Amino acid sequence: MIIRKVKNRDFKNIWSWRVDQETINNSLSKKYITLRNHLAWFKKNISNKNYIFFVAEDSKFKESLGTVNFRIIKEKAEVSIFLNPIYREKKLAAKILKQSIMEFHKKYNIYLFAKIIPSNKKSIKIFKQCGFGIYSE
């Protein structure tokens, strides 16, 4: 597996993963995002120095596995992850998250946090496996 910076060509894949019903159910925002709104968000953030996002890719088949996003807010960064739906339940999420964090930390040495809805037990487990603590607001 390789972790690479997102590219313009990734926008439609990322949108399709983001509007997958399971992703919506486990997101803080339960809203469906139109392709037009996603494209505007994508164009704005792909060059935003405070928004770093990576795509995990199968190194052999060049298939995109998922994405990890880091939104820098002052001296910390909010982390989020979602997978290509066909790669769920394959034990890849923690590996993707860990490798993306390592890639992020090559340039940034700041505190990381994630906001996860309490019912998203799988995501909580993945973040715990990657060394995150659990705090409630």
Side-chain angles (χ1 to χ4, degrees), residues 121-132:
K121 303 296 185 201
K122 290 178 185 177
S123 194
I124 291 169
K125 180 180 176 183
I126 290 160
F127 276 86
K128 279 181 168 180
Q129 288 174 347
C130 293
F132 285 73

Side-chain angles (χ1 to χ4, degrees), residues 18-30:
R18 175 58 183 89
V19 298
D20 173 78
Q21 192 59 53
E22 187 173 334
T23 302
I24 291 171
N25 291 345
N26 288 311
S27 297
L28 294 170
S29 169
K30 304 287 187 213

Side-chain angles (χ1 to χ4, degrees), residues 31-76:
K31 296 177 186 171
Y32 178 86
I33 299 167
T34 66
L35 183 58
R36 176 181 285 190
N37 287 345
H38 174 73
L39 182 57
W41 170 87
F42 191 88
K43 284 180 176 179
K44 180 178 122 188
N45 287 303
I46 195 165
S47 59
N48 182 340
K49 66 180 177 71
N50 292 319
Y51 200 92
I52 313 302
F53 55 123
F54 298 110
V55 170
E57 199 171 73
D58 179 278
S59 50
K60 184 175 181 182
F61 299 108
K62 301 296 184 210
E63 180 76 24
S64 296
L65 307 172
T67 184
V68 178
N69 309 306
F70 298 87
R71 186 169 61 103
I72 299 171
I73 309 160
K74 298 185 183 182
E75 297 300 316
K76 55 189 172 184

Side-chain angles (χ1 to χ4, degrees), residues 5 49 52 101-110:
K5 293 271 279 194
K49 66 180 177 71
I52 313 302
I101 290 169
M102 287 172 38
E103 192 66 30
F104 179 80
H105 277 145
K106 287 179 182 177
K107 186 171 181 182
Y108 304 94
N109 188 21
I110 58 177

Side-chain angles (χ1 to χ4, degrees), residues 1-2 17 55-59 63-67 82-85 87-88 92 96:
M1 173 177 24
I2 61 166
W17 306 338
V55 170
E57 199 171 73
D58 179 278
S59 50
E63 180 76 24
S64 296
L65 307 172
T67 184
F82 52 94
L83 298 183
N84 176 339
Y87 289 102
R88 289 188 186 127
L92 292 171
I96 291 169

